[in-house]
Amino acid sequence: MDLTLSTREVGGRTVVAVGGEIDVYTAPKLRDTITELVAAGTYNLVIDMEQVEFLDSTGLGVLVGGLKKVRAHDGSLELICNQDRLLKIFRITGLAKVFTIHSSAEEALA
């Protein structure tokens, strides 16, 4: 399964829509996208994970790394995730307390 990425600007924030699987093979693509956005001066990111089918520890590491990158610039990285199996991963790892997780794009961008 491949990873699809697309970005769009919404109200001063950049939404990165992610689809497919975020694993050891595809996570570098997401990491590079986040790194490029931060390097270009984009510090308020929303990662839309509604189309993500699978997430492993490498993907979690990329998200945590992205959070550290934007926080270094007083920015934010929030997630849109409404799938129980992914939310369970965030709860088990304690990352549900680290990330702001929204259940929909409307909620995240309100």
Side-chain angles (χ1 to χ4, degrees), residues 55 60 84-95:
L55 176 68
L60 288 174
D84 286 336
R85 68 181 182 280
L86 296 182
L87 291 168
K88 185 177 179 182
I89 294 168
F90 286 105
R91 281 194 299 273
I92 290 170
T93 58
L95 291 173

Side-chain angles (χ1 to χ4, degrees), residues 25-83:
Y25 302 107
T26 61
K29 187 175 173 185
L30 177 59
R31 183 186 61 231
D32 292 347
T33 298
I34 293 170
T35 301
E36 289 166 15
L37 288 167
V38 172
T42 303
Y43 308 131
N44 292 305
L45 301 177
V46 177
I47 308 295
D48 183 346
M49 300 177 61
E50 289 184 292
Q51 300 300 315
V52 172
E53 321 234 330
F54 177 81
L55 176 68
D56 73 0
S57 60
T58 311
L60 288 174
V62 167
L63 293 172
V64 170
L67 182 62
K68 288 179 179 176
K69 283 185 179 95
V70 297
R71 281 193 174 162
H73 299 279
D74 294 324
S76 64
L77 188 150
E78 299 180 359
L79 306 176
I80 300 170
C81 181
N82 56 13
Q83 299 175 48

Side-chain angles (χ1 to χ4, degrees), residues 90-109:
F90 286 105
R91 281 194 299 273
I92 290 170
T93 58
L95 291 173
K97 294 182 176 84
V98 175
F99 288 101
T100 301
I101 303 176
H102 303 280
S103 59
S104 68
E106 293 76 26
E107 179 187 320
L109 300 168

Side-chain angles (χ1 to χ4, degrees), residues 1-47:
M1 183 72 163
D2 240 359
L3 183 71
T4 59
L5 295 170
S6 65
T7 59
R8 67 185 193 277
E9 292 290 323
V10 181
R13 299 197 301 187
T14 300
V15 178
V16 180
V18 185
E21 298 181 358
I22 308 174
D23 59 21
V24 68
Y25 302 107
T26 61
K29 187 175 173 185
L30 177 59
R31 183 186 61 231
D32 292 347
T33 298
I34 293 170
T35 301
E36 289 166 15
L37 288 167
V38 172
T42 303
Y43 308 131
N44 292 305
L45 301 177
V46 177
I47 308 295

